[in-house]
């Protein structure tokens, strides 16, 4: 009938129900909050994190070694997660999003949009770092792209190191912020601290990327692609392994129910 109020559908978990026009705004807001807002936050957070991370490498003093990049990456990530994590989950890393999806912490439909948002954020962050850096420093640091691996003999060790380091980071996220048994208010701190530890331990071996978006942005800005694939394959394999590990052996009852529902 022409006099009926416009209707929209709302998914309440047990099936779709009709809602009047008074609820239509809430339907639209719900879709925005569930799909658009988290992707925007992942883009913003990735851009901020990678901007700080790249600058810390470009402006790094030889006297501080790995300490300056380690602290800058870890503290920046912890701060951004504490600020924005409640909106998107605070991944800012395709490998972490993969692990979170496998353990039920991220809707499968959002995985690809998250990846796109994170990679675009990485490009923006790296571009901003290049824009504010002194040209000589930028090129001396290869634009903060990962240049640690210089020959084929280093590949196996670097790849293995990236897998192990990223597993620690992904575990910190999944167990500290997603798993009902172990998550707590100190998750941003523990996640940021895992990055500090990883860079201090493995920075001299593989560069300690742990994040394909962190690798891609600087590589584009500096046109440096040597052994770039390591920083995609290693972290993504780690995310897959952590997701399967938690799903099969550690996951709590809530996680199992989510996975069963899928």
């Amino acid at each position: 009938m022409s006099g009926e109020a416009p209707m929209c559908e709302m998914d309440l978990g047990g099936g779709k129900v009709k809602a009047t026009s008074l609820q239509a705004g809430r339907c639209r807001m719900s879709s925005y909050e569930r799909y658009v807002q988290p992707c925007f936050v992942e883009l913003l957070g990735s851009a901020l994190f990678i901007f700080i991370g790249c600058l810390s490498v470009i402006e790094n003093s030889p006297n501080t070694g790995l300490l300056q990049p380690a602290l800058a990456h870890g503290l920046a990530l912890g701060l951004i997660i504490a600020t924005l994590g409640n909106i998107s989950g605070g991944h800012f890393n395709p490998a972490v999003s993969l692990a979170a999806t496998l353990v039920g912490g991220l809707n499968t439909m959002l995985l690809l949009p998250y990846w796109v948002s994170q990679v675009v954020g990485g490009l923006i962050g790296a571009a901003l770092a290049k824009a504010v850096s002194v040209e000589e420093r930028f090129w001396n640091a290869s634009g903060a792209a990962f240049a640690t691996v210089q020959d084929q003999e280093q590949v196996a060790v670097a790849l293995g190191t990236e897998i192990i380091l990223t597993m620690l980071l992904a575990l910190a996220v999944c167990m500290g912020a997603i798993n009902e048994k172990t998550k707590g208010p100190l998750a941003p701190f523990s996640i940021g601290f895992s990055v500090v530890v990883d860079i201090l331990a493995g920075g001299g071996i593989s560069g300690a990327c742990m994040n394909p978006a962190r690798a891609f942005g600087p590589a584009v800005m500096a046109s440096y692609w040597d052994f770039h694939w390591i920083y995609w394959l290693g972290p993504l394999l780690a995310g897959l392994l952590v997701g399967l590990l938690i799903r099969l052996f550690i996951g709590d009852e809530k996680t199992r129910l989510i996975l069963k529902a899928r």
Side-chain angles (χ1 to χ4, degrees), residues 148-159 226-227 229-230:
T148 306
V149 182
Q150 295 293 321
D151 57 64
Q152 196 66 35
E153 293 180 356
Q154 296 175 269
V155 168
V157 173
L159 180 60
D226 292 3
F227 302 103
W229 61 271
I230 292 173

Side-chain angles (χ1 to χ4, degrees), residues 86-122:
N86 285 338
I87 300 175
S88 69
H91 301 170
F92 316 123
N93 183 336
V96 168
S97 293
L98 176 59
T101 301
L102 291 174
V103 302
L106 179 66
N107 189 324
T108 305
M109 289 179 59
L110 282 171
L111 180 59
L112 184 57
Y114 264 42
W115 282 357
V116 173
S117 300
Q118 291 155 358
V119 169
V120 173

Side-chain angles (χ1 to χ4, degrees), residues 12-256:
L12 300 180
K16 293 181 178 179
V17 298
K18 297 294 184 179
T20 66
S21 58
L22 294 176
Q23 296 171 307
R26 293 182 182 177
C27 292
R28 288 193 294 270
M29 180 60 71
S30 176
S31 296
Y32 171 79
E33 290 178 346
R34 289 176 61 188
Y35 300 111
V36 179
Q37 192 178 65
C39 291
F40 173 74
V41 166
E42 284 295 309
L43 186 151
L44 175 62
S46 297
L48 291 172
F49 168 62
I50 292 168
F51 171 72
I52 296 296
C54 287
L55 272 187
S56 71
V57 174
I58 294 168
E59 300 296 328
N60 189 28
S61 168
N63 297 325
T64 60
L66 293 171
L67 185 60
Q68 180 172 319
L71 289 175
H73 281 84
L75 292 174
L77 184 59
L79 175 61
I80 295 168
I81 291 173
T83 306
L84 301 174
N86 285 338
I87 300 175
S88 69
H91 301 170
F92 316 123
N93 183 336
V96 168
S97 293
L98 176 59
T101 301
L102 291 174
V103 302
L106 179 66
N107 189 324
T108 305
M109 289 179 59
L110 282 171
L111 180 59
L112 184 57
Y114 264 42
W115 282 357
V116 173
S117 300
Q118 291 155 358
V119 169
V120 173
L123 285 169
I124 294 172
L128 290 173
K130 182 177 183 179
V132 302
S133 299
V134 176
E135 186 174 2
E136 182 180 358
R137 284 181 175 271
F138 178 86
W139 292 114
N140 284 342
S142 300
F146 290 89
T148 306
V149 182
Q150 295 293 321
D151 57 64
Q152 196 66 35
E153 293 180 356
Q154 296 175 269
V155 168
V157 173
L159 180 60
T161 300
E162 283 297 311
I163 293 172
I164 296 170
L165 297 180
T166 309
M167 286 184 69
L168 177 60
L169 171 59
L171 275 171
V173 174
C174 292
M175 301 304 291
I178 298 174
N179 189 280
E180 288 293 326
K181 291 180 180 178
T182 56
K183 71 177 183 180
L186 295 180
F189 170 79
S190 62
I191 295 166
F193 191 63
S194 71
V195 171
V196 174
V197 171
D198 279 352
I199 294 176
L200 289 176
I205 301 173
S206 67
C209 173
M210 305 167 283
N211 186 338
R214 168 64 180 85
F216 184 70
V220 172
M221 293 300 114
S223 295
Y224 187 91
W225 301 100
D226 292 3
F227 302 103
H228 179 75
W229 61 271
I230 292 173
Y231 305 106
W232 284 81
L233 181 61
L236 290 175
L237 277 177
L240 178 63
L241 290 172
V242 167
L244 293 176
L245 174 68
I246 295 175
R247 178 174 179 174
L248 295 174
F249 300 109
I250 302 176
D252 54 42
E253 187 63 26
K254 181 179 178 181
T255 301
R256 293 192 187 98

